[in-house]
Amino acid sequence: MSLQEDKKRLIENLKALGYLKTQKVIKAFGQTPREEFIPLKYRDEAYSDTPLPIGYGQTISAPHMVAIMTELLEPEKTDKVLEIGAGSGYQAAVLSRLVRKIITVEFQPELAGMAEENLKRTGCKNVKVVCGDGSRGWPKEKPYDKIIVTCACPEIPKPLEEQLKEGGILILPLGEGWQQELIVARKTRGKLEEKDYGGVVFVPLRHYMNK
Ligand code: SAH
């Protein structure tokens, strides 16, 4: 079966399972070639609903996770988004079709370089990849309408709360064990109002004190 057919089938499944909901997110998924964001040897697996290794002990998230997080972020064409954990760049590529601008922070320099290449090759011009410790956010471009963290945080990093606009949405996997809770928080009157969307599994956030 061709990758195009695999992709169509995956999207139909994600719709049937209720992970893909809105027309614009479905369209953004359809327009984003996941095969361009994974190592060549996994090309045939590009549209399996599973995480895949991208090197340095890291993974590209499973498509259903990208679908869930993208929908929960309620992307708008006017949004400036901060992502923590660029990884392959795939999540940012999906979002690039839905928002105005994305800054994505990656800890591992080699992965930052790879994400940048992948995004350039696939024509995602409104994404800027930066290298650093995302637990500090990216103050230079604040404030953000939305913030999405794609690695597990033991607690909500204060700088992220501070760099989020009033009314903005922050999504992150919260917890220290191998499994975390997916938290969606909206900044309301200067404080985060949190909702728990259940168990998820992400690679941990790393920082300079604790590589
Ligand atoms: N969003 C990615 C998947 C991310 S995997 C994708 O679509 O492919 C999590 C990524 O977070 C890894 O690449 C890891 O290196 C990165 N990471 C871990 N700790 C980080 C930190 N403190 N700041 C920025 N990135 C971090």
Side-chain angles (χ1 to χ4, degrees), residues 37 52 54-61 66 83-93 104-109 111-112 130-136 148-152 202-208:
F37 292 84
L52 292 167
I54 53 171
Y56 307 94
Q58 308 303 318
T59 51
I60 178 174
S61 303
V66 177
E83 180 188 32
I84 310 303
S88 66
Y90 177 70
Q91 170 74 72
T104 181
V105 188
E106 173 53 51
F107 184 86
Q108 186 81 39
L111 287 178
V130 294
C131 194
D133 177 2
S135 62
R136 297 172 191 175
I148 172 171
V149 184
T150 63
C151 41
F202 277 82
V203 295
L205 177 116
R206 296 180 296 163
H207 52 85
Y208 293 119

Side-chain angles (χ1 to χ4, degrees), residues 76-87:
E76 295 293 342
K77 263 290 170 213
T78 49
D79 283 347
K80 176 150 79 169
V81 178
L82 175 67
E83 180 188 32
I84 310 303

Side-chain angles (χ1 to χ4, degrees), residues 1-10 13 43-48:
M1 213 194 282
S2 77
L3 282 178
Q4 278 317 310
E5 285 169 294
D6 289 351
K7 183 197 240 178
K8 226 173 130 193
R9 205 170 48 168
L10 172 70
N13 282 341
R43 205 177 159 84
D44 291 348
E45 305 273 338
Y47 295 101
S48 304

